[in-house]
Amino acid sequence: MVRRPASGKAGRLAIALLVLAVVWMLLAWGCQRQVVFPRRFLPPTPAEVGRLVEVLGGEVMTLETEAGPVEAFFHPGHGVSPREPGPAVVFAHGNGETIDVWFGALETYREMGVSVLLPEFRGYGRSAGRPSEAAIVADFERFHDLLAAREDVDSERIVYHGRSLGGAVAAVLTERRPPAALILESTFTSTAAMARRYLVPGFLIRDPLRAREAVERYDGPVLVMHGRQDTIVPPGHGEALAEAAGVQVVWLEMGHNDPPPREPYWAAIEAFLEEAGVVPASSELVR
């Protein structure tokens, strides 16, 4: 009986592992946007939602892009007008959501006198195109400019609030259009940091969304909120973002997709906006 050299077995094993690694990297490269932007798994977005927004006193804003129209919902804050312009928040939702599920959930902002702009991600809901970091950030930049040009908005008091992936979008946007303040909720430090959990090397990431780097360069006030029970974006990401901003994390007793506990959530936001000079003190809406 002739034994095969051990070196031959080791060589074949090395080749097999190399092939598996190449296949894995090809899959990661080709499928990552379906994971980062899982829009095809979202429920249909009915066209009549836009009419409902208008009935409730809001507006549907449309941005014309090379890929087609991209929409946003705008709701004015209570008491604001061209004679008395007020602050505004640009809200960026998570990767498994659309603006339809948020336009009624941010009413407390309006009660503070803060107008709300909800831009949609390209390719989500009724908006045309395909999502990518470059496309989404470019659209948010243009929506910001439309918002800042409104007579009922004080362009010096525009705040960004992003949840999950939307927080990374908001952070990156600060480098193009610095806001008066930045709120990051359940946000990751970068797409590459999330991908490492699945053994995907950083050089393969097509949409890096380097939130931590953007936060380090942003010199305005930052609020970082994160759920202690978050298993999708681990709490360490919130800690790292807070460290980059030089602040403490506001911890919430919730998982990634749980509704936040109303009182500590809105109390933290209101106190932050007061300290940042965005809203007047002592409105006591949620305390």
Side-chain angles (χ1 to χ4, degrees):
M1 182 176 177
V2 179
R3 294 184 178 180
R4 295 181 179 180
S7 59
K9 292 182 179 179
R12 287 193 295 274
L13 178 59
I15 292 173
L17 291 174
L18 178 62
V19 170
L20 286 174
V22 171
V23 171
W24 173 242
M25 287 191 287
L26 289 174
L27 285 172
W29 173 263
C31 300
Q32 62 183 270
R33 281 187 171 155
Q34 284 86 342
V35 176
V36 177
F37 307 108
R39 57 196 173 108
R40 295 184 180 179
F41 300 101
L42 299 180
T45 54
E48 60 267 18
V49 171
R51 291 191 290 273
L52 177 59
V53 169
E54 293 172 347
V55 167
L56 295 175
E59 301 175 24
V60 178
M61 299 171 62
T62 303
L63 191 68
E64 293 299 332
T65 75
E66 74 284 356
V70 176
E71 70 176 1
F73 295 156
F74 174 80
H75 280 271
H78 294 182
V80 305
S81 68
R83 287 188 175 184
E84 296 186 21
V89 60
V90 179
F91 185 87
H93 61 66
N95 73 337
E97 303 161 354
T98 66
I99 58 175
D100 294 17
V101 302
W102 279 104
F103 77 88
L106 302 173
E107 181 65 20
T108 304
Y109 269 127
R110 300 184 65 210
E111 294 172 4
M112 294 183 203
V114 180
S115 298
V116 178
L117 178 67
L118 280 162
E120 189 55 279
F121 292 168
R122 193 177 295 199
Y124 276 60
R126 293 164 295 275
S127 294
R130 295 182 178 181
S132 68
E133 175 179 351
I136 291 171
V137 173
D139 292 346
F140 269 66
E141 183 179 358
R142 291 179 62 190
F143 273 123
H144 167 276
D145 293 349
L146 292 175
L147 180 69
R150 293 181 63 97
E151 293 184 349
D152 55 354
V153 170
D154 180 352
S155 62
E156 298 298 318
R157 291 188 287 162
I158 294 178
V159 177
Y160 300 160
H161 181 170
R163 193 190 97 76
S164 191
L165 180 139
V169 170
V172 172
L173 184 62
T174 65
E175 303 199 276
R176 299 191 183 189
R177 295 291 189 273
L182 174 65
I183 300 173
L184 301 176
E185 176 185 342
S186 305
T187 298
F188 51 78
T189 56
S190 70
T191 313
M194 292 291 289
R196 281 197 293 270
R197 300 174 66 195
Y198 305 98
L199 303 180
V200 177
F203 68 84
L204 288 177
I205 301 302
R206 303 166 71 179
D207 303 286
L209 287 162
R210 299 183 179 94
R212 180 174 182 172
E213 294 180 16
V215 170
E216 288 176 341
R217 289 189 284 267
Y218 174 62
D219 60 2
V222 179
L223 171 64
V224 178
M225 299 186 291
H226 213 100
R228 290 187 186 275
Q229 291 80 44
D230 194 332
T231 58
I232 296 177
V233 179
H237 286 260
E239 292 174 337
L241 290 171
E243 180 183 5
V247 300
Q248 297 294 316
V249 182
V250 173
W251 294 109
L252 301 171
E253 298 303 326
M254 55 181 281
H256 189 77
N257 291 317
D258 297 332
R262 175 176 170 77
E263 184 172 349
Y265 179 81
W266 284 109
I269 291 174
E270 185 178 12
F272 171 71
L273 295 181
E274 288 177 358
E275 186 175 352
V278 174
V279 299
S282 70
S283 58
E284 297 184 353
L285 292 172
V286 293
R287 296 175 186 171

